[in-house]
Amino acid sequence: MVTGTVFKAPAASEVRFADWYNETRAQAKLMPKAIIYDYKTGLHYNVNMFSFGKHCDAEPVTSSDTSTMYNIMGISNWTPHAVWVILSDGKVYMASTHSHGHEVDNNSGNNLEGHICIHFPREMTDAEKTSMPYAVSHQNEILRGWEETQGMIR
């Protein structure tokens, strides 16, 4: 998110498959400004992350960021989409997100009503797997994206 610099896409070999509870959540809390990178299209957009529960909530920073998000996933799409999340320290994490704005809206200037969710790899209890099918679909998309990412290294 540094102004005046050229974005350099990370290499697939840099992507970390890190557990949300044991690593990523603490890092995201410290560095809530991140870049979502769509490794299939090469497009990227900036987000500000907040609310770090079982996943994190985030909002595109500008209307241009929202437009890029929509170019990648379509407008108001709940379908999980594998992405790489680049934190401000340069570390890159495997994740899944969507483009459907909902609920809390902290940024009225970004042309998105509400926020999006970003899911990172995490263990789920059997009860969660039964009661949270949407969260399971994000975990499955993360696994699919990770396999794809690993295939890019070979």
Side-chain angles (χ1 to χ4, degrees):
M1 297 224 290
V2 179
T3 306
T5 62
V6 176
F7 176 78
K8 183 177 183 294
S13 60
E14 296 176 66
V15 181
R16 304 163 68 95
F17 189 91
D19 182 75
W20 173 242
Y21 293 121
N22 293 324
E23 179 179 340
T24 317
R25 182 167 64 169
Q27 295 303 306
K29 283 181 180 180
L30 291 172
M31 296 169 273
K33 296 185 184 319
I35 296 171
I36 304 293
Y37 177 68
D38 181 58
Y39 58 89
K40 286 189 172 185
T41 65
L43 297 174
H44 66 281
Y45 56 98
N46 300 304
V47 295
N48 186 43
M49 299 181 288
F50 63 95
S51 184
F52 304 92
K54 294 181 180 186
H55 63 270
C56 81
D57 297 334
E59 292 176 312
V61 176
T62 68
S63 59
S64 177
D65 292 317
T66 299
S67 178
T68 300
M69 177 182 74
Y70 288 159
N71 284 337
I72 295 167
M73 293 174 274
I75 297 173
S76 295
N77 186 351
W78 279 109
T79 304
H81 184 82
V83 294
W84 301 346
V85 176
I86 308 165
L87 298 184
S88 60
D89 66 355
K91 288 183 182 166
V92 186
Y93 293 91
M94 193 73 225
S96 175
T97 191
H98 60 82
S99 66
H100 186 85
H102 61 287
E103 297 177 5
V104 176
D105 186 359
N106 295 314
N107 183 347
S108 61
N110 66 358
N111 287 342
L112 176 75
E113 287 189 33
H115 67 274
I116 58 169
C117 303
I118 304 172
H119 291 250
F120 294 89
R122 71 177 178 92
E123 290 295 320
M124 295 181 74
T125 66
D126 288 340
E128 286 176 324
K129 289 176 184 175
T130 301
S131 66
M132 300 169 65
Y134 185 62
V136 170
S137 68
H138 273 284
Q139 293 303 311
N140 289 337
E141 178 64 1
I142 290 166
L143 291 172
R144 189 202 62 72
W146 180 245
E147 288 178 16
E148 205 167 56
T149 298
Q150 294 305 292
M152 294 167 70
I153 297 170
R154 295 181 193 114

